[in-house]
Coordinates of all heavy atoms in Angstrom, one line a residue:
G311 N 2.3 15.0 -19.5 CA 3.0 15.3 -20.8 C 4.3 16.0 -20.5 O 4.3 17.2 -20.3
I312 N 5.4 15.3 -20.6 CA 6.7 15.9 -20.5 C 7.2 16.1 -22.0 O 7.1 15.1 -22.8 CB 7.7 15.0 -19.7 CG1 7.2 15.0 -18.3 CG2 9.1 15.5 -19.9 CD1 8.1 14.1 -17.4
Q313 N 7.7 17.2 -22.3 CA 8.1 17.5 -23.7 C 9.5 18.0 -23.7 O 9.9 18.8 -22.8 CB 7.2 18.6 -24.4 CG 5.8 18.1 -24.6 CD 5.0 19.2 -25.3 OE1 5.4 20.3 -25.4 NE2 3.9 18.8 -25.9
Q314 N 10.3 17.6 -24.7 CA 11.7 18.0 -24.9 C 11.7 19.0 -26.0 O 11.0 18.8 -27.1 CB 12.6 16.8 -25.3 CG 12.6 15.7 -24.3 CD 13.3 14.5 -24.8 OE1 13.7 14.4 -25.9 NE2 13.4 13.5 -23.9
H315 N 12.4 20.1 -25.9 CA 12.5 21.2 -26.9 C 13.9 21.4 -27.2 O 14.7 21.8 -26.4 CB 11.9 22.5 -26.4 CG 10.4 22.4 -25.9 ND1 9.4 22.5 -26.7 CD2 9.9 22.1 -24.7 CE1 8.3 22.3 -26.0 NE2 8.6 22.1 -24.8
L316 N 14.3 21.1 -28.5 CA 15.6 21.4 -28.9 C 15.6 22.3 -30.1 O 14.9 22.1 -31.1 CB 16.3 20.1 -29.4 CG 16.4 19.0 -28.3 CD1 17.0 17.7 -28.9 CD2 17.3 19.4 -27.2
D317 N 16.2 23.5 -30.0 CA 16.3 24.5 -31.1 C 17.6 24.5 -31.7 O 18.6 24.6 -31.0 CB 15.9 25.9 -30.5 CG 14.5 25.9 -29.9 OD1 13.6 25.3 -30.4 OD2 14.4 26.5 -28.8
Y318 N 17.7 24.6 -33.0 CA 19.0 24.6 -33.7 C 19.1 25.8 -34.7 O 18.1 26.2 -35.2 CB 19.1 23.3 -34.6 CG 19.3 22.0 -33.8 CD1 18.2 21.2 -33.5 CD2 20.5 21.6 -33.4 CE1 18.4 20.1 -32.7 CE2 20.7 20.5 -32.6 CZ 19.6 19.7 -32.3 OH 19.8 18.6 -31.6
L319 N 20.3 26.2 -34.8 CA 20.6 27.2 -35.9 C 21.3 26.4 -37.0 O 22.3 25.7 -36.7 CB 21.6 28.3 -35.3 CG 22.1 29.2 -36.3 CD1 21.0 30.1 -36.9 CD2 23.2 30.1 -35.7
E320 N 20.7 26.5 -38.2 CA 21.2 25.6 -39.3 C 21.9 26.5 -40.3 O 21.5 27.5 -40.7 CB 20.0 25.0 -40.0 CG 20.4 24.1 -41.1 CD 19.2 23.5 -41.8 OE1 18.0 23.9 -41.6 OE2 19.4 22.5 -42.6
L321 N 23.1 26.0 -40.7 CA 23.9 26.6 -41.7 C 24.0 25.6 -42.9 O 24.8 24.7 -42.9 CB 25.3 26.9 -41.2 CG 25.4 28.0 -40.1 CD1 26.8 28.1 -39.6 CD2 24.9 29.3 -40.6
P322 N 23.2 25.9 -43.9 CA 23.1 24.9 -45.1 C 24.1 25.2 -46.2 O 24.5 26.3 -46.4 CB 21.7 25.1 -45.6 CG 21.4 26.5 -45.3 CD 22.1 26.9 -44.0
F323 N 24.5 24.1 -46.9 CA 25.3 24.2 -48.1 C 24.6 23.3 -49.1 O 24.6 22.1 -49.0 CB 26.7 23.8 -47.9 CG 27.5 23.8 -49.1 CD1 28.0 25.0 -49.6 CD2 27.8 22.6 -49.8 CE1 28.7 25.0 -50.8 CE2 28.6 22.6 -50.9 CZ 29.0 23.8 -51.4
N324 N 23.9 23.9 -50.1 CA 23.1 23.1 -51.0 C 23.6 23.4 -52.4 O 24.0 24.5 -52.8 CB 21.6 23.4 -50.9 CG 21.0 23.0 -49.7 OD1 21.3 21.8 -49.2 ND2 20.2 23.8 -49.0
L325 N 23.5 22.4 -53.3 CA 23.8 22.5 -54.7 C 22.5 22.2 -55.5 O 21.7 21.4 -55.1 CB 24.9 21.5 -55.1 CG 26.2 21.7 -54.5 CD1 27.2 20.6 -54.9 CD2 26.8 23.0 -54.9
R326 N 22.3 23.0 -56.6 CA 21.2 22.8 -57.5 C 21.7 22.4 -58.9 O 22.6 23.0 -59.4 CB 20.3 24.1 -57.5 CG 19.7 24.4 -56.2 CD 19.0 25.7 -56.4 NE 18.3 26.0 -55.1 CZ 17.1 25.6 -54.8 NH1 16.5 24.8 -55.6 NH2 16.6 25.9 -53.6
Y327 N 21.0 21.5 -59.5 CA 21.3 21.1 -60.9 C 20.0 21.2 -61.7 O 19.0 20.5 -61.3 CB 21.9 19.7 -60.9 CG 22.2 19.3 -62.3 CD1 23.3 19.8 -63.0 CD2 21.4 18.4 -63.0 CE1 23.6 19.4 -64.3 CE2 21.6 18.0 -64.3 CZ 22.7 18.5 -65.0 OH 23.0 18.1 -66.2
T328 N 19.9 22.0 -62.7 CA 18.7 22.2 -63.5 C 18.7 21.1 -64.5 O 19.6 20.9 -65.3 CB 18.7 23.5 -64.2 OG1 18.8 24.6 -63.2 CG2 17.5 23.7 -65.0
V329 N 17.6 20.3 -64.5 CA 17.3 19.2 -65.4 C 16.5 19.7 -66.6 O 16.9 19.3 -67.8 CB 16.6 18.0 -64.7 CG1 16.3 16.9 -65.6 CG2 17.4 17.5 -63.5
I330 N 15.5 20.4 -66.4 CA 14.7 21.0 -67.4 C 14.6 22.5 -67.2 O 14.3 23.0 -66.1 CB 13.2 20.4 -67.4 CG1 13.3 18.9 -67.6 CG2 12.3 21.1 -68.4 CD1 11.9 18.2 -67.4
D331 N 14.9 23.3 -68.3 CA 14.9 24.7 -68.2 C 13.9 25.3 -69.2 O 14.3 25.7 -70.3 CB 16.3 25.3 -68.4 CG 16.5 26.7 -68.0 OD1 15.5 27.3 -67.4 OD2 17.5 27.3 -68.2
R332 N 12.6 25.3 -68.8 CA 11.6 25.9 -69.6 C 10.7 26.8 -68.7 O 11.2 27.2 -67.7 CB 10.7 24.8 -70.3 CG 11.5 24.0 -71.3 CD 10.6 23.1 -72.1 NE 11.4 22.4 -73.1 CZ 11.9 21.2 -73.0 NH1 11.8 20.5 -71.8 NH2 12.6 20.6 -74.0
S333 N 9.5 27.0 -69.1 CA 8.6 27.8 -68.2 C 8.3 27.1 -66.9 O 8.1 27.7 -65.9 CB 7.3 28.2 -68.9 OG 6.6 27.0 -69.2
L334 N 8.4 25.8 -67.0 CA 8.3 25.0 -65.7 C 9.7 24.3 -65.6 O 10.1 23.4 -66.3 CB 7.3 23.9 -65.7 CG 7.2 23.0 -64.5 CD1 6.8 23.9 -63.3 CD2 6.2 21.9 -64.7
E335 N 10.5 24.9 -64.7 CA 11.9 24.4 -64.5 C 12.0 23.3 -63.5 O 11.2 23.4 -62.5 CB 12.8 25.6 -64.1 CG 14.2 25.4 -64.0 CD 15.0 26.6 -63.6 OE1 14.5 27.7 -63.8 OE2 16.2 26.5 -63.2
L336 N 12.8 22.3 -63.7 CA 12.9 21.2 -62.8 C 14.4 21.1 -62.3 O 15.3 21.1 -63.2 CB 12.5 19.9 -63.4 CG 12.4 18.7 -62.6 CD1 11.3 18.9 -61.5 CD2 12.1 17.5 -63.4
Q337 N 14.6 21.1 -61.0 CA 16.0 21.1 -60.5 C 16.1 19.9 -59.5 O 15.2 19.6 -58.7 CB 16.3 22.4 -59.7 CG 16.3 23.6 -60.6 CD 16.6 24.8 -59.7 OE1 16.4 24.9 -58.5 NE2 17.0 25.9 -60.4
L338 N 17.3 19.4 -59.4 CA 17.7 18.4 -58.4 C 18.4 19.2 -57.3 O 19.3 20.0 -57.6 CB 18.5 17.3 -58.9 CG 17.9 16.4 -60.0 CD1 19.0 15.4 -60.5 CD2 16.7 15.7 -59.4
V339 N 18.1 19.1 -56.1 CA 18.6 19.8 -55.0 C 19.2 18.9 -53.9 O 18.6 17.9 -53.6 CB 17.6 20.8 -54.3 CG1 18.2 21.6 -53.2 CG2 16.9 21.6 -55.3
G340 N 20.4 19.2 -53.4 CA 20.9 18.3 -52.4 C 22.1 19.0 -51.7 O 22.6 20.0 -52.2
G341 N 22.4 18.6 -50.5 CA 23.5 19.2 -49.7 C 23.5 18.7 -48.3 O 22.9 17.7 -47.9
V342 N 24.3 19.4 -47.5 CA 24.5 19.1 -46.1 C 24.4 20.4 -45.3 O 24.4 21.5 -45.9 CB 25.9 18.5 -45.8 CG1 26.1 17.2 -46.5 CG2 27.0 19.4 -46.3
S343 N 24.1 20.3 -44.1 CA 24.0 21.4 -43.2 C 24.6 21.1 -41.8 O 24.6 19.9 -41.4 CB 22.6 21.9 -43.0 OG 21.8 20.9 -42.5
T344 N 25.1 22.1 -41.2 CA 25.6 22.0 -39.8 C 24.6 22.7 -38.9 O 24.1 23.8 -39.2 CB 27.0 22.8 -39.7 OG1 27.9 22.3 -40.7 CG2 27.6 22.6 -38.3
N345 N 24.2 22.0 -37.9 CA 23.2 22.4 -37.0 C 23.8 22.7 -35.6 O 24.4 21.8 -35.0 CB 22.1 21.4 -36.8 CG 21.4 21.2 -38.2 OD1 20.7 22.0 -38.7 ND2 21.7 20.0 -38.8
F346 N 23.7 23.9 -35.1 CA 24.2 24.3 -33.8 C 23.0 24.3 -32.8 O 22.0 25.0 -33.0 CB 24.9 25.6 -33.8 CG 26.1 25.6 -34.7 CD1 26.0 26.1 -36.0 CD2 27.3 25.1 -34.3 CE1 27.1 26.1 -36.9 CE2 28.4 25.1 -35.1 CZ 28.3 25.6 -36.4
L347 N 23.1 23.6 -31.6 CA 22.1 23.7 -30.6 C 22.1 25.0 -29.9 O 23.1 25.5 -29.4 CB 22.4 22.6 -29.6 CG 21.3 22.4 -28.5 CD1 20.0 21.9 -29.0 CD2 21.9 21.4 -27.4
V348 N 21.0 25.7 -30.0 CA 20.9 27.1 -29.4 C 19.8 27.1 -28.3 O 19.8 28.1 -27.5 CB 20.6 28.2 -30.4 CG1 21.8 28.3 -31.4 CG2 19.3 27.9 -31.2
G349 N 19.0 26.1 -28.2 CA 17.9 26.0 -27.1 C 17.7 24.6 -26.7 O 17.6 23.7 -27.5
N350 N 17.6 24.4 -25.4 CA 17.5 23.1 -24.8 C 16.7 23.2 -23.6 O 17.1 23.7 -22.6 CB 18.9 22.5 -24.6 CG 18.9 21.1 -23.9 OD1 17.8 20.6 -23.6 ND2 20.0 20.6 -23.7
S351 N 15.4 22.6 -23.6 CA 14.6 22.7 -22.4 C 13.7 21.5 -22.3 O 13.4 20.9 -23.3 CB 13.8 24.0 -22.3 OG 12.9 24.0 -23.3
V352 N 13.3 21.1 -21.1 CA 12.3 20.1 -20.9 C 11.2 20.8 -20.1 O 11.4 21.4 -19.1 CB 12.9 18.9 -20.1 CG1 11.8 17.9 -19.8 CG2 14.0 18.3 -20.8
T353 N 9.9 20.6 -20.6 CA 8.8 21.2 -19.9 C 7.7 20.2 -19.6 O 7.7 19.1 -20.2 CB 8.1 22.3 -20.8 OG1 7.7 21.7 -22.0 CG2 9.1 23.4 -21.1
M354 N 6.9 20.5 -18.6 CA 5.8 19.6 -18.2 C 4.5 20.4 -18.1 O 4.5 21.5 -17.6 CB 6.2 19.0 -16.9 CG 5.1 18.0 -16.4 SD 5.6 17.3 -14.8 CE 5.4 18.6 -13.7
K355 N 3.5 19.8 -18.6 CA 2.2 20.4 -18.5 C 1.6 20.1 -17.1 O 1.6 19.0 -16.7 CB 1.3 19.8 -19.6 CG -0.1 20.5 -19.7 CD -0.8 19.9 -20.9 CE -2.2 20.4 -20.9 NZ -3.0 19.7 -22.0
S356 N 1.2 21.2 -16.4 CA 0.6 21.0 -15.1 C -0.7 21.8 -15.0 O -1.1 22.5 -15.9 CB 1.6 21.5 -14.0 OG 1.8 22.9 -14.1
S357 N -1.3 21.8 -13.8 CA -2.6 22.5 -13.7 C -2.4 24.0 -13.8 O -3.3 24.7 -14.1 CB -3.2 22.1 -12.3 OG -2.3 22.5 -11.3
S358 N -1.2 24.5 -13.5 CA -0.9 25.9 -13.5 C -0.4 26.4 -14.9 O 0.0 27.5 -15.1 CB 0.0 26.4 -12.4 OG 1.3 25.7 -12.6
G359 N -0.3 25.4 -15.8 CA 0.2 25.8 -17.2 C 1.5 24.9 -17.4 O 1.7 23.9 -16.8
R360 N 2.3 25.4 -18.4 CA 3.5 24.7 -18.8 C 4.6 25.2 -17.9 O 4.9 26.4 -17.8 CB 3.8 24.9 -20.2 CG 4.9 24.0 -20.7 CD 4.8 23.8 -22.2 NE 3.6 23.3 -22.8 CZ 3.3 22.0 -22.8 NH1 4.1 21.1 -22.2 NH2 2.2 21.6 -23.3
E361 N 5.4 24.2 -17.3 CA 6.5 24.6 -16.4 C 7.8 24.0 -17.0 O 7.8 22.9 -17.4 CB 6.3 24.0 -15.0 CG 5.1 24.6 -14.3 CD 5.0 24.0 -12.9 OE1 6.0 23.8 -12.2 OE2 3.8 23.8 -12.4
E362 N 8.8 24.8 -16.9 CA 10.1 24.3 -17.3 C 10.7 23.5 -16.2 O 10.8 24.1 -15.0 CB 11.1 25.4 -17.7 CG 12.4 24.9 -18.3 CD 13.2 26.0 -19.0 OE1 12.6 27.0 -19.5 OE2 14.4 25.9 -19.1
I363 N 11.1 22.3 -16.4 CA 11.7 21.5 -15.3 C 13.1 21.1 -15.5 O 13.7 20.4 -14.7 CB 10.8 20.2 -15.2 CG1 10.8 19.3 -16.5 CG2 9.4 20.5 -14.7 CD1 10.2 18.0 -16.3
G364 N 13.8 21.6 -16.5 CA 15.2 21.4 -16.7 C 15.6 21.4 -18.2 O 15.0 22.0 -19.0
Y365 N 16.7 20.6 -18.4 CA 17.3 20.5 -19.8 C 17.9 19.1 -20.0 O 18.1 18.4 -19.0 CB 18.3 21.6 -20.0 CG 19.5 21.5 -19.1 CD1 20.6 20.9 -19.5 CD2 19.5 22.1 -17.9 CE1 21.7 20.8 -18.7 CE2 20.6 22.0 -17.1 CZ 21.7 21.3 -17.5 OH 22.8 21.2 -16.7
L366 N 18.2 18.8 -21.2 CA 18.8 17.5 -21.5 C 20.3 17.7 -21.5 O 20.8 18.6 -22.1 CB 18.4 17.0 -22.9 CG 16.9 16.8 -23.1 CD1 16.5 16.6 -24.6 CD2 16.4 15.6 -22.3
S367 N 20.9 16.8 -20.7 CA 22.4 16.9 -20.6 C 23.2 16.0 -21.6 O 24.3 16.2 -21.8 CB 22.8 16.6 -19.2 OG 22.4 15.3 -18.8
N368 N 22.5 15.0 -22.2 CA 23.2 14.1 -23.0 C 22.9 14.4 -24.5 O 22.7 13.5 -25.3 CB 22.8 12.7 -22.7 CG 23.1 12.3 -21.3 OD1 23.7 13.0 -20.6 ND2 22.7 11.1 -20.9
V369 N 23.0 15.6 -24.9 CA 22.7 16.0 -26.3 C 23.9 16.6 -26.9 O 24.6 17.5 -26.3 CB 21.5 17.1 -26.3 CG1 21.2 17.5 -27.7 CG2 20.3 16.5 -25.7
N370 N 24.2 16.3 -28.2 CA 25.3 16.9 -28.9 C 25.0 18.3 -29.2 O 23.9 18.6 -29.6 CB 25.6 16.1 -30.2 CG 26.2 14.7 -29.9 OD1 27.0 14.6 -29.0 ND2 25.9 13.7 -30.7
T371 N 26.0 19.2 -29.2 CA 25.7 20.6 -29.4 C 25.9 20.9 -30.9 O 25.5 22.0 -31.4 CB 26.7 21.5 -28.6 OG1 28.0 21.1 -28.9 CG2 26.4 21.3 -27.1
V372 N 26.6 20.0 -31.7 CA 26.7 20.2 -33.1 C 26.3 18.9 -33.8 O 26.7 17.9 -33.4 CB 28.2 20.6 -33.5 CG1 28.3 20.7 -35.0 CG2 28.6 21.9 -32.8

Side-chain angles (χ1 to χ4, degrees):
I312 294 176
Q313 293 184 342
Q314 302 171 355
H315 304 273
L316 300 174
D317 299 319
Y318 290 95
L319 174 64
E320 180 179 17
L321 296 176
F323 178 75
N324 291 316
L325 296 174
R326 295 178 177 275
Y327 178 75
T328 301
V329 178
I330 298 172
D331 194 6
R332 294 193 174 92
S333 62
L334 180 63
E335 187 175 344
L336 189 63
Q337 297 178 337
L338 298 176
V339 182
V342 294
S343 60
T344 304
N345 300 285
F346 298 98
L347 183 67
V348 294
N350 176 359
S351 66
V352 177
T353 59
M354 181 178 71
K355 187 177 174 183
S356 68
S357 59
S358 61
R360 190 160 300 282
E361 295 181 37
E362 188 168 331
I363 58 174
Y365 62 93
L366 299 171
S367 60
N368 299 358
V369 178
N370 289 325
T371 57
V372 178

